[in-house]
Structures are given as C-alpha cells and as structure tokens.
Amino acid sequence: MSHWITVPVLLPAVIGAAMVLMMRNDLLLQRVFSLASVLGLLAVSVTLLVVASHEPPEVYQLGDWPAPFGIMLVLDRLSALMITLTAVLAVAVLLYTIGSGWDNRGRHFHALFQFQLMGICGAFLTGDAFNLFVFFEILLIASYGLMIHAGGKDRLRAGVQYVAFNLVGSSLFLFALAAIYSITGTLNIADLAVKSAELSQGDAALFRVAAVMLMMVFAIKGALVPLQFWLPGTYSNAPGPVAALFAVMTKIGAYSVIRFGVIVLPPTHPITGTLIADLMLPAALVTLIIGALGILGATTLSRLAAFAAVASMGTAFIAIAAFTPAATAAALYYMVHSTLAGAALFLIVDLVAHRRAHDGLRQSLPPIAQAGLISGLFMVSAIATAGMPPLSGFIGKLLVLDALRDQAALVWSVILATSLMTILGFARAGSTLFWKAHASAPDGDAPGHPAQVLAFVAVGALLAGLAVLTVFAGPVITWMEATAASLYDPSAYIAANQLPEVK
C-alpha cells in the first residue's frame, strides 16, 4: 500500500504538467483528463482512508532516505481524512466549473486546478515542516493564477493583496524553520516531537519565539485575527468555483495547528506549555465575532459568503485551542461540515452572479432565472452555515459547546450570540435577493438563462454531503474521536518514522 500514498500528490502533478505541455489548446481534452484525475484522486483517497482507519500510521520514504534526513509522506487518520475531503470538494467544484463554463474563460484553468490539488494534498501528507513550506508555495502560485482567472481590475487588486499577505507568511515560515532547525537540528515532525521536549533551558527562549512565529504562519493561512484581513477581499473577488475550492485552503492552517500543536507543541510541552492555547482562544473568539458582524453588515452576497468563511474558521479555532481530544474531535467534524457548506455557498453566489449584473444587498433587484431552485439551495446552505437544526452545522456547534462546557460563560455566549447574528444576516440577504425581488417584479417573470444542470448537480451534491454528515453523525463522530485519540497519543506516529536512537 505504501506507494499509493504518493498518488494524491503525483497524479494531479503529472496531469497538470501534461495539460500545459500537450492540451493547452484543447478544452474538451483538458476537461476529460481533469475529471478523470479528480475521480482517480477520490478513489485513491477513499482507499487510503479505509486503510488508515484500520492500520497504524504509514510512512513513505521518498528516495528511500530514512527519517529524519529524507522527505517523508505520512498517512494517518487525520491526513487521510483531509485528502478525502479535498477530493470530494474537487469533484464537485470541477463539475460546477464545467457545467457553468468557467473553465472556458482562461486557457490554463485546469492545469492550475491540478497543481492546486497537488499542493493541498502534499501539505496534508507531508511529515516534514520544510516540505510543508514547499507545498504552501505551490499552493500560493497555483491559487494566485486561479484567483485572477478571467481578469478584472478588482480581482487583480485582490490577488495582489492575497499574494502580499502570503509572502509575509512565507517569510515568517522560513525564519521560524531556520530558528527551529538551528536549535533542534531537524524539521521532521516526529523527530521534532522527540527533540523539542529535550531541549536545554538555554534554548527555551528562542524556541518559544520560533513556535509562536510558526503558529502565526498557520494563523495567516487559517484567517485568524489579526491576520484575517486578506480573506474577505480575496474570496469575494475570486471566481465562484475558485472561492469554493479555497474553502479547503483555510483548513490547511487549522490542520497544521492541530498537527504541530498536538504532536510537537502540546500543552504539556516543558518549554511552550499552554502558550499556544492561551494566545489562540481569544484570537479565535474575536475572529468569530468579526465574521458574524461581517455577515450582518455585508453589502454583497459574495462578501457575506467570505465573512461566513471567517466565522467558520473562528468556530473551528475555538475548538482547536482547547487542545483536548473531545474538542479536537469536535473541530474535525466542524471543519468537514464548514468546508462543504462554505463551498456550496460560494457556488450559489456564482449562480446568482451568472443571472444578475451584481449581487448587491442594499436594495431589491429584479428576479433571476431558476429563482425558486436557487433560493431553495440558498436556504439550505444558510441553515447549515448558521448552525441551525437539523443539519450538520447544528451538530458541529453542539459538539464544540459540549467540549468547552468548562468555559461556558465566555465561549458559549460568543458562539450563541454570533449564531443569532449569522441567522439575521442570512435572513436579510435571502429576503433581499429572492423574496423582495419576486414581489417587486411586475409580472413575476425573470429573464431566461441556460439551466446549467451540471452546475446545479454539483451544488446539490455538496448539500447532500451535509445531509449524509447529519444522518450518519453518530459513526462519523465516533471516527473523529478515534482520530483525535490517536493524535494525543503520538507514539505510533513517531514509531512509524523509524527514527534512529540518539546516543
């Protein structure tokens, strides 16, 4: 099975390169190979998920170089979950892209899409901090190309802002890695977990600084206050399918915090202690509040969806900051939910934008084609995003609240208050976009528009995923709890790397 671990990285890399070299002028051929690639990625990811669910962590040594000197790809329950989530999202987004014709607005959309998947899957699978930086850079390059796909002044400006923030993050990442390597002599995650706990007091101050810098990098990727400023402008100006794919990119920041915060820098670490958790919880609470205020005051539907992404990351980081198995399991469930719900919302925003000159929320506008179907999809996504019953958002927030019941006075009040604000914001947006638009139409008629069946199927599939996550919440939560338990007992993860004994 070990060679299959490389497929989520190699498959999109090879297909993307082939598209650039041999298919750049044939859109149909690009669509066929791109769809075959994501379906293959989904099949391999599900297989790896099944294997990881029943087997201990498995390490693939590239070039057969042993840890901690070589490049490691590590498959465990957490990495398998995240690449499977990425594959599911990729299939839905690609179907929408083909169905809506977005890929016809630029020659290299499908190649960039594949390179983006390569970077995402590589970030989830790598067992080495430096190669996490490498995959972050692949993500940055591919996502910038996707961000400015089809051009436009606003999109280019948002793209430049996005790159600027991420270049700052990349610089911090290099400084942090350099400091950590100078202290420990390694960047292998499993090796760091062992050696960082044995550092002398003379290295403690520098290691704490490097640890905080590293978490700041992940906070930028995860849009955590005060480093969230890039997200609303970037996501609201990105093409709808691209913003939907970006829904899993912020989860890379959350994933990295879980991976390093639990294995390398746990609250029991003799040097960092609870420093990471103490800094993260207030930032997460403020992130959630800012996201909810943004939803309540959004002037366009695209900005509403972008601030919903900020709020969802705030909720996820609140759970992560507790650094307990129960809270981490709740965070994982909520991350899966928010990825599917956020992607569906961005695709719905694009459906509206296709049928109307703009998506402003300041005043009612003329009705749109297929308004009944789109309004129904919007209502479902709004219920899921706000965390209302009966969908998985409600279950996810209940899990977070239950895991943090010892901090109920603060955490519960913030989550419940922001949920109410989110409900009000979505209710206002839906009323302006659909109900008032229909009521103000002279004859109730809307202009014609192609049905885009495949696009609606893609959105419906994402919302159906939320329904599945709700119906099978019991076994899914049990699986998440087992995953969290394995993270908080990293002995199997460390043993899989077969680290040499220190003499």
Side-chain angles (χ1 to χ4, degrees):
M1 174 54 67
S2 61
H3 291 292
W4 288 97
I5 300 175
T6 65
V7 174
V9 179
L10 292 180
L11 178 60
V14 171
I15 296 298
M19 287 178 178
V20 173
L21 296 174
M22 296 179 287
M23 309 177 201
R24 65 177 68 184
N25 296 317
D26 192 331
L27 179 60
L28 177 60
L29 201 58
Q30 289 185 45
R31 287 176 170 177
V32 170
F33 274 81
S34 190
L35 188 58
S37 174
V38 296
L39 290 175
L41 176 62
L42 178 60
V44 172
S45 300
V46 170
T47 302
L48 294 177
L49 182 67
V50 173
V51 172
S53 299
H54 298 91
E55 301 292 337
E58 186 173 354
V59 172
Y60 186 87
Q61 301 174 348
L62 295 177
D64 206 25
W65 282 87
F69 311 106
I71 299 173
M72 305 290 130
L73 296 180
V74 183
L75 177 73
D76 65 350
R77 295 172 70 99
L78 178 59
S79 58
L81 169 67
M82 298 310 294
I83 62 171
T84 303
L85 177 62
T86 302
V88 170
L89 182 62
V91 172
V93 170
L94 187 61
L95 288 176
Y96 182 92
T97 303
I98 296 172
S100 62
W102 256 112
D103 57 343
N104 197 28
R105 305 186 188 188
R107 181 178 297 181
H108 298 299
F109 178 89
H110 287 283
L112 291 169
F113 188 87
Q114 295 298 317
F115 290 132
Q116 182 82 354
L117 293 179
M118 170 196 173
I120 294 172
C121 291
F124 288 141
L125 283 169
T126 186
D128 182 271
F130 181 78
N131 288 293
L132 181 61
F133 166 78
V134 172
F135 285 117
F136 273 4
E137 295 309 295
I138 295 173
L139 282 173
L140 175 62
I141 296 170
S143 60
Y144 179 66
L146 290 171
M147 170 68 202
I148 62 173
H149 182 71
K153 183 176 66 176
D154 293 339
R155 190 166 293 159
L156 182 61
R157 184 187 300 112
V160 171
Q161 180 190 38
Y162 168 69
V163 171
F165 266 92
N166 279 276
L167 286 177
V168 171
S170 298
S171 301
L172 284 175
F173 206 167
L174 281 178
F175 292 148
L177 292 180
I180 290 173
Y181 187 78
S182 69
I183 299 168
T184 64
T186 185
L187 291 175
N188 180 277
I189 296 174
D191 204 26
L192 278 174
V194 176
K195 292 183 177 178
S196 67
E198 301 171 349
L199 293 175
S200 65
Q201 286 300 314
D203 295 322
L206 182 57
F207 185 79
R208 275 194 293 268
V209 172
V212 171
M213 289 175 61
L214 193 64
M215 289 300 168
M216 285 179 62
V217 174
F218 301 150
I220 292 175
K221 303 298 181 183
L224 188 67
V225 164
L227 304 168
Q228 88 294 347
F229 297 105
W230 62 272
L231 192 148
T234 299
Y235 280 38
S236 62
N237 285 287
V242 175
L245 182 63
F246 283 6
V248 78
M249 282 180 54
T250 48
K251 305 307 183 294
I252 297 175
Y255 163 87
S256 300
V257 170
I258 293 173
R259 180 68 78 188
F260 282 83
V262 172
I263 296 179
V264 181
L265 304 168
T268 57
H269 196 282
I271 294 178
T272 57
T274 60
L275 175 64
I276 304 302
D278 294 341
L279 292 174
M280 187 170 296
L281 180 59
L285 291 169
V286 176
T287 301
L288 177 55
I289 293 171
I290 288 177
L293 289 172
I295 293 171
L296 197 58
T299 56
T300 64
L301 185 59
S302 56
R303 289 191 68 82
L304 181 144
F307 277 106
V310 173
S312 71
M313 292 309 300
T315 305
F317 276 117
I318 287 172
I320 293 170
F323 288 110
T324 64
T328 301
L332 293 177
Y333 183 92
Y334 188 82
M335 284 165 58
V336 174
H337 152 79
S338 61
T339 300
L340 299 179
L345 182 59
F346 279 114
L347 295 184
I348 293 168
V349 171
D350 193 66
L351 287 174
V352 174
H354 264 285
R355 290 158 175 79
R356 185 176 283 159
H358 61 88
D359 59 350
L361 299 176
R362 292 184 182 274
Q363 58 186 6
S364 59
L365 296 168
I368 58 175
Q370 296 98 39
L373 179 56
I374 295 176
S375 62
L377 295 174
F378 177 81
M379 184 183 72
V380 175
S381 68
I383 291 172
T385 304
M388 295 174 62
L391 292 178
S392 52
F394 177 70
I395 298 174
K397 287 193 176 182
L398 277 182
L399 291 172
V400 175
L401 292 173
D402 182 60
L404 281 83
R405 57 182 177 271
D406 58 331
Q407 304 179 57
L410 177 62
V411 174
W412 282 38
S413 59
V414 171
I415 291 179
L416 294 175
T418 53
S419 296
L420 176 60
M421 294 163 63
T422 302
I423 293 169
L424 293 175
F426 273 97
R428 178 181 67 91
S431 176
T432 302
L433 284 171
F434 303 109
W435 184 78
K436 289 183 180 179
H438 179 77
S440 64
D443 302 317
D445 294 329
H449 191 279
Q452 297 181 325
V453 175
L454 197 57
F456 281 104
V457 168
V459 177
L462 290 172
L463 297 179
L466 297 177
V468 171
L469 201 59
T470 304
V471 173
F472 295 98
V476 171
I477 293 169
T478 300
W479 194 93
M480 298 298 186
E481 290 172 344
T483 301
S486 68
L487 288 170
Y488 283 86
D489 181 14
S491 56
Y493 184 93
I494 295 172
N497 282 266
Q498 300 177 342
L499 299 171
E501 294 184 5
V502 179
K503 297 182 181 179

